Amino acid sequence: DIREDRKKGRDALRGMLKRLGFWQLQKSVFVHPYSCRAEIEFIRDMFDLPEREALYFSTDRIPNEALLKKRFKLEL
């Protein structure tokens, strides 16, 4: 969660995630089927967002994987 005093950066990050095609899984959790580390780091640096408030991680397994594959129109 990005603090309220960093609202400009938080809104920029959220907007970028949506433009990149991320899907909001939970209020503060967005998912994407492909790596976007460079883009996330760029916007984090641009708006001086601490890594602990704007986390990025990748995984090859996630609960409800079939739902997400359907959402992103990927093979089941």
Side-chain angles (χ1 to χ4, degrees):
D1 291 328
I2 300 172
R3 295 183 348 204
E4 182 62 30
D5 63 333
R6 294 189 177 96
K7 185 178 187 326
K8 187 175 180 180
R10 182 180 64 207
D11 292 345
L13 179 60
R14 184 183 306 113
M16 183 184 124
L17 294 176
K18 289 179 180 181
R19 283 190 302 277
L20 288 171
F22 277 72
W23 185 60
Q24 191 170 4
L25 183 64
Q26 294 179 352
K27 183 174 169 79
S28 297
V29 178
F30 289 81
V31 296
H32 195 273
Y34 305 107
S35 177
C36 296
R37 181 179 299 274
E39 291 85 350
I40 302 300
E41 288 176 355
F42 174 80
I43 198 78
R44 208 166 46 197
D45 291 345
M46 187 125 177
F47 287 93
D48 198 28
L49 299 172
E51 187 174 349
R52 69 182 178 277
E53 291 182 21
L55 296 173
Y56 174 92
F57 63 91
S58 63
T59 182
D60 60 352
R61 300 273 229 177
I62 188 166
N64 298 321
E65 186 173 334
L67 171 71
L68 293 174
K69 284 185 175 184
K70 185 176 178 181
R71 167 66 177 92
F72 288 110
K73 297 179 174 96
L74 300 172
E75 285 185 43
L76 295 175

